[in-house]
Amino acid sequence: MRRILVVGGGYAGFYTAWNLEKKLRRDEAEIVVVDPRPYMTYQPFLPEVAAGSIEARHAAVALRSHLKRARLIHASVTRIDHASKTVTVAPEDGEPFDLGYDIVVVTAGAVTRTFPIPGVKEHAIGMKHVEEAVAIRDRLLDAFDRASVLPPGPERTRLLTVAFVGGGFSGVEGFGETLSLATALLRQYPELRFPDLSFHLIEARDRILPEVTDGPGRWVVRSLEQRGAHIHLDTQLVSAEGGHLVLSTGEEFDAHTIVWTAGNGANPVVARNTDLPVTARGSVMVRADLRVGTPEEVVPDAWAAGDDAAVPDLASPIAGAVTVPNAQHAVRQGRLLARNIVATLRGREPKEYVHHSLGVVATLGLGKGIFQWKGIVITGFLAWVMHRGYHVLAIPTWERKVRVLLVWATAVLFGRDIVSLLSVQHPRRAFDGGEAPRAVPEAARAEERELAGSAR
């Protein structure tokens, strides 16, 4: 019996395996999914997880709960050798081993892209995974608790300063949601005032949200600035050593929370550790029918989709364009990829991937959003409702849809849950010797450096 090996259980990988289970007879093929995480993260909900609007577990879809027939291996694929049809699998415990396959599906996704900026690796937190979003939320809540007992001064200012680096969708949505959370928290902390908050969004280009046109992009900037945010365009982060940010404009400030959302990079297993053809940017070369290869030549038994694949965008008027790495494409590519694999196994021809954009929608905080489809632009509360409506429909499984809706309904009645669980990062501290007081700021900063490292 053939073995179909899915490398990566993210959007494209999960939907490929899920649909293969539905369409394949049990005697047609064995499905194997390899991913270091036991769940698929629904990334569009991470900003709301960071803001406490969604329970963290509800933004994750457990692979074992929904992939009933597939064999799941919780490990990382470190090399794909298609010539021998084997991958090297590295589990967290135990020695690496080789695993053979008949058909490979490369859906390893992208990784957070960083630059050699001093201090970023030591102090910044990404926002690509659930645990990172939770860490951002708990870090902000903990900062409010600590700042509320301090007199006005540099340390209180540092604790209430948040910097997001990167003005793409994940950065702007995360920034807007955490700003909304921080503003709402002031009602619970009479010791603090709005001028105590300092939120900075740093973007190297001259605009944010490149997925929308110039006019809506400028509206988002104005909207955030009216809420007290500092938007730094045409600005690069030069250094973040010791939590002290230095910008290319010469501005400097200390920040307690630094979130890095400056784009994605090629997954190393695809960019450097495979004999499959890849582009100069490290993505798998893919035909329009999602088979690996070029328009002239197909690599037999190899398929790819999602963020690590350069899929031709047949709906674009630009020659040579590839689909953008977002959930809209990854989900639909995963579904088509499963249908195409089944078709080829049964002697039929695969179909080409064509998807016309449904528009872009972003949340900017509770009750605030923006939507654009071609020339139609909607802003404010209606766009925010459209954002929630679209994503509750898009998240897989009815179980997750119901859980998310119940959390939102509860929040309408009782508000956000503002309990910080930062202490779960160190669960044995009380057992080892009780809670140690934060005697000096330097001790607190040492603990923050440890947290920033563990969150990555």
Side-chain angles (χ1 to χ4, degrees):
M1 187 164 58
R2 294 184 180 91
R3 174 180 289 168
I4 302 172
L5 178 65
V6 181
V7 180
Y11 290 118
F14 173 80
Y15 274 93
T16 298
W18 201 25
N19 284 274
L20 282 173
E21 288 190 342
K22 297 174 184 178
K23 297 178 181 301
L24 287 173
R25 298 187 303 271
R26 289 188 176 273
D27 60 349
E28 278 191 284
E30 174 194 12
I31 305 165
V32 179
V33 179
V34 184
D35 193 282
R37 298 174 187 274
Y39 54 83
M40 184 272 280
T41 302
Y42 191 72
Q43 292 181 0
F45 276 158
L46 293 186
E48 293 203 58
V49 171
S53 299
I54 288 180
E55 167 62 35
R57 287 183 177 85
H58 299 168
V61 178
L63 299 181
R64 290 190 181 273
S65 295
H66 302 288
L67 299 180
K68 302 296 186 181
R69 287 177 48 193
R71 175 188 171 194
L72 302 177
I73 301 176
H74 298 306
S76 299
V77 170
T78 58
R79 180 164 185 80
I80 302 172
D81 186 352
H82 194 61
S84 63
K85 289 194 173 181
T86 60
V87 298
T88 302
V89 178
E92 186 172 345
D93 300 302
E95 296 297 319
F97 60 90
D98 290 339
L99 181 65
Y101 62 82
D102 296 288
I103 298 171
V104 68
V105 176
V106 184
T107 52
V111 297
T112 300
R113 178 185 62 182
T114 59
F115 300 101
I117 299 172
V120 167
K121 285 188 176 294
E122 293 78 14
H123 298 281
I125 303 174
M127 203 170 69
K128 195 173 181 63
H129 301 290
V130 172
E131 59 268 33
E132 293 174 322
V134 172
I136 293 166
R137 174 181 178 271
D138 287 345
R139 196 173 177 82
L140 183 61
L141 293 172
D142 182 67
F144 267 74
D145 286 335
R146 293 164 57 182
S148 66
V149 298
L150 292 176
E155 184 61 13
R156 187 162 90 169
T157 299
R158 183 188 72 85
L159 285 168
L160 298 178
T161 298
V162 176
F164 274 68
V165 184
F169 250 78
S170 60
V172 171
E173 288 192 313
F175 183 80
E177 285 287 348
T178 51
L179 175 60
S180 178
L181 171 61
T183 304
L185 283 174
L186 290 173
R187 292 193 293 268
Q188 311 293 329
Y189 291 84
E191 305 90 347
L192 304 175
R193 299 168 57 249
F194 182 78
D196 293 325
L197 300 180
S198 185
F199 272 68
H200 299 261
L201 178 62
I202 303 162
E203 169 54 48
R205 291 168 292 190
D206 61 356
R207 53 164 300 175
I208 60 175
L209 289 181
E211 294 86 351
V212 303
T213 53
D214 290 346
R218 289 192 293 269
W219 178 87
V220 173
V221 171
R222 290 196 302 271
S223 174
L224 292 172
E225 288 179 336
Q226 288 168 2
R227 293 161 58 188
H230 306 278
I231 311 298
H232 306 269
L233 300 178
D234 274 326
T235 303
Q236 296 179 353
L237 178 64
V238 176
S239 174
E241 287 190 294
H244 181 74
L245 275 66
V246 180
L247 308 185
S248 58
T249 57
E251 297 173 82
E252 299 184 25
F253 55 89
D254 290 326
H256 173 68
T257 302
I258 306 170
V259 183
W260 182 269
T261 59
N264 297 323
N267 192 301
V269 70
V270 172
R272 299 190 295 271
N273 297 311
T274 182
D275 56 353
L276 294 171
V278 298
T279 67
R281 297 177 64 88
S283 301
V284 182
M285 288 186 181
V286 179
R287 296 159 50 95
D289 58 14
L290 304 180
R291 288 183 289 182
V292 174
T294 65
E296 297 76 27
E297 185 177 3
V298 174
V299 176
D301 301 322
W303 304 75
D307 291 359
D308 66 358
V311 180
D313 189 353
L314 300 185
S316 173
I318 302 173
V322 297
T323 58
V324 296
N326 63 20
Q328 269 192 53
H329 286 298
V331 169
R332 289 165 176 79
Q333 288 170 10
R335 289 170 176 161
L336 178 64
L337 199 159
R339 292 198 298 270
N340 281 351
I341 289 176
V342 174
T344 57
L345 290 176
R346 297 174 182 173
R348 301 195 303 271
E349 287 297 311
K351 295 182 178 180
E352 293 185 333
Y353 176 75
V354 183
H355 172 64
H356 296 273
S357 174
L358 302 175
V360 293
V361 61
T363 174
L364 303 174
L366 196 62
K368 304 174 181 66
I370 184 168
F371 167 82
Q372 181 175 17
W373 181 69
K374 297 183 178 179
I376 300 173
V377 179
I378 300 173
T379 60
F381 182 76
L382 180 57
W384 174 77
V385 172
M386 294 171 68
H387 173 273
R388 284 201 163 185
Y390 172 79
H391 285 299
V392 81
L393 291 174
I395 191 170
T397 80
W398 280 103
E399 172 256 349
R400 276 295 178 262
K401 298 179 197 296
V402 172
R403 289 183 185 274
V404 169
L405 285 171
L406 288 175
V407 171
W408 282 340
T410 304
V412 170
L413 295 174
F414 304 108
R416 307 176 198 250
D417 189 338
I418 62 169
V419 175
S420 169
L421 296 177
L422 189 64
S423 58
V424 301
Q425 299 289 335
H426 308 281
R428 298 188 72 255
R429 178 177 296 153
F431 180 77
D432 284 342
E435 292 289 343
R438 292 184 175 92
V440 294
E442 185 55 39
R445 294 191 186 196
E447 182 177 333
E448 290 157 13
R449 287 194 290 271
E450 183 181 348
L451 171 59
S454 66
R456 292 192 307 277

